[in-house]
Amino acid sequence: MALEQVRRAAFDDLALRGQRSRLMRYLGASVLALGADLGSFLLLLAAGIFAAPASALSYAFGIFVHWLISSRAVFQDTVASGGSARLRQQVLFVLSAVAGLTLTTFVVGAGAYTGFDPRIAKLLAIVASFMLTWGLRSRIVFRSGN
């Protein structure tokens, strides 16, 4: 009985370390995607594109970069190999990004409405959106057996 508990505890510890490692890789992917978003936004502005379309295009580019990194370096063991299963994951990935954008917009808007400094509200929104998209992507989009 004690040997089984030790084995189970060791397995749980390995699983937790693996999940932490995946979370750190996801954090790195998010930082790189944010850099791609902001960098392309600035390039589009410099090219004379109006701010709103530049923001939308750069956000879409950030989602694309995040997909590439996430599917190859974060969730590589659970990404679908192709066909309709891969398309399903890609659609769910974009929907999770839209959920993150919606939450960000709500947090910043509610913060501004209640008198919070919008920069602080945006920082809170980044954390909330990161947690939401991590949860959706790790438990739904790239769920094992998906």
Side-chain angles (χ1 to χ4, degrees):
M1 185 70 140
L3 184 59
E4 177 62 24
Q5 290 173 331
V6 169
R7 186 195 66 76
R8 186 172 293 149
F11 180 76
D12 289 348
D13 185 52
L14 284 174
L16 182 59
R17 276 192 253 157
Q19 192 68 351
R20 280 190 199 136
S21 173
R22 187 185 302 265
L23 177 60
M24 290 299 103
R25 291 191 314 268
Y26 183 79
L27 177 61
S30 296
V31 169
L32 290 172
L34 178 60
D37 177 352
L38 291 174
S40 61
F41 177 67
L42 294 174
L43 286 172
L44 289 168
L45 287 178
I49 305 294
F50 289 114
S55 179
L57 289 169
S58 67
Y59 185 78
F61 182 63
I63 293 171
F64 173 72
V65 168
H66 209 306
W67 166 264
L68 289 178
I69 298 168
S70 292
S71 64
R72 287 159 179 78
V74 180
F75 301 104
Q76 69 281 3
D77 55 334
T78 57
V79 70
S81 59
S84 63
R86 173 70 71 95
L87 179 60
R88 179 180 180 278
Q89 279 184 328
Q90 291 169 332
V91 168
L92 289 172
F93 192 90
V94 169
L95 290 174
S96 69
V98 171
L101 177 61
T102 302
L103 178 61
T104 296
T105 303
F106 175 77
V107 169
V108 172
Y113 180 77
T114 59
F116 266 65
D117 182 329
R119 293 165 293 196
I120 294 172
K122 177 65 173 176
L123 290 174
L124 293 172
I126 289 170
V127 173
S129 177
F130 175 85
M131 291 170 43
L132 174 65
T133 57
W134 162 253
L136 290 171
R137 291 170 181 170
S138 65
R139 290 190 171 93
I140 297 171
V141 177
F142 294 106
R143 181 181 63 216
S144 293
N146 224 3

